[in-house]
Amino acid sequence: QMYAQRYGTVPIVHATGGLKDSVEQYQQGSDAPGADSKGQGWKFGNCDANGLKWGLGEAINIFNNNPVEWINIRTRGMKQDFDWKGAAEKYVQLMEWAQLDPPRHEPWPFNS
């Protein structure tokens, strides 16, 4: 789905594993100034026909009734940054934090 978003496909996914982490749930903005919509797809929790039906229904509703918003959703997906450089930088940061506060290991005393 990462490659698909780059080309404008709107993801509708079961919220599990990497899909849960890489797809931001669509939320419609309000009419208030600066309250823009966000997200680039739909995630459903129940891995069954009803979950998929819900996700498809939500997407089809926006597609049919709000074409401008559909373009905004697609555009947000196309702007996502899934490159390895960003992932590597986060990994390096995590390792630096681990060195600053290493786990404590206190083995049981072994009496011989």
Side-chain angles (χ1 to χ4, degrees):
Q1 59 64 23
M2 292 177 189
Y3 291 121
Q5 284 185 72
R6 177 70 68 199
Y7 293 99
T9 302
V10 176
I12 302 167
V13 301
H14 177 230
T16 186
L19 295 173
K20 183 178 182 180
D21 298 333
S22 61
V23 175
E24 182 182 0
Q25 177 72 30
Y26 170 74
Q27 293 181 355
Q28 188 172 5
S30 67
D31 293 332
D36 295 331
S37 62
K38 62 181 183 176
Q40 75 274 13
W42 284 268
K43 299 186 283 190
F44 54 93
N46 295 335
C47 187
D48 58 16
N50 287 331
L52 180 58
K53 184 178 175 182
W54 172 84
L56 288 170
E58 293 289 313
I60 290 169
N61 180 48
I62 296 293
F63 180 83
N64 286 334
N65 299 317
N66 196 341
V68 172
E69 185 63 15
W70 185 258
I71 291 169
N72 292 338
I73 294 167
R74 291 183 65 210
T75 302
R76 281 193 296 270
M78 293 168 79
K79 290 180 178 179
Q80 292 294 305
D81 182 9
F82 293 117
D83 72 352
W84 281 108
K85 183 177 185 234
E89 287 172 353
K90 289 178 184 176
Y91 182 78
V92 168
Q93 183 181 37
L94 179 65
M95 292 299 107
E96 289 172 351
W97 288 345
Q99 288 177 343
L100 291 174
D101 188 18
R104 285 159 181 72
H105 179 67
E106 298 176 13
W108 289 67
F110 290 102
N111 298 327
S112 44

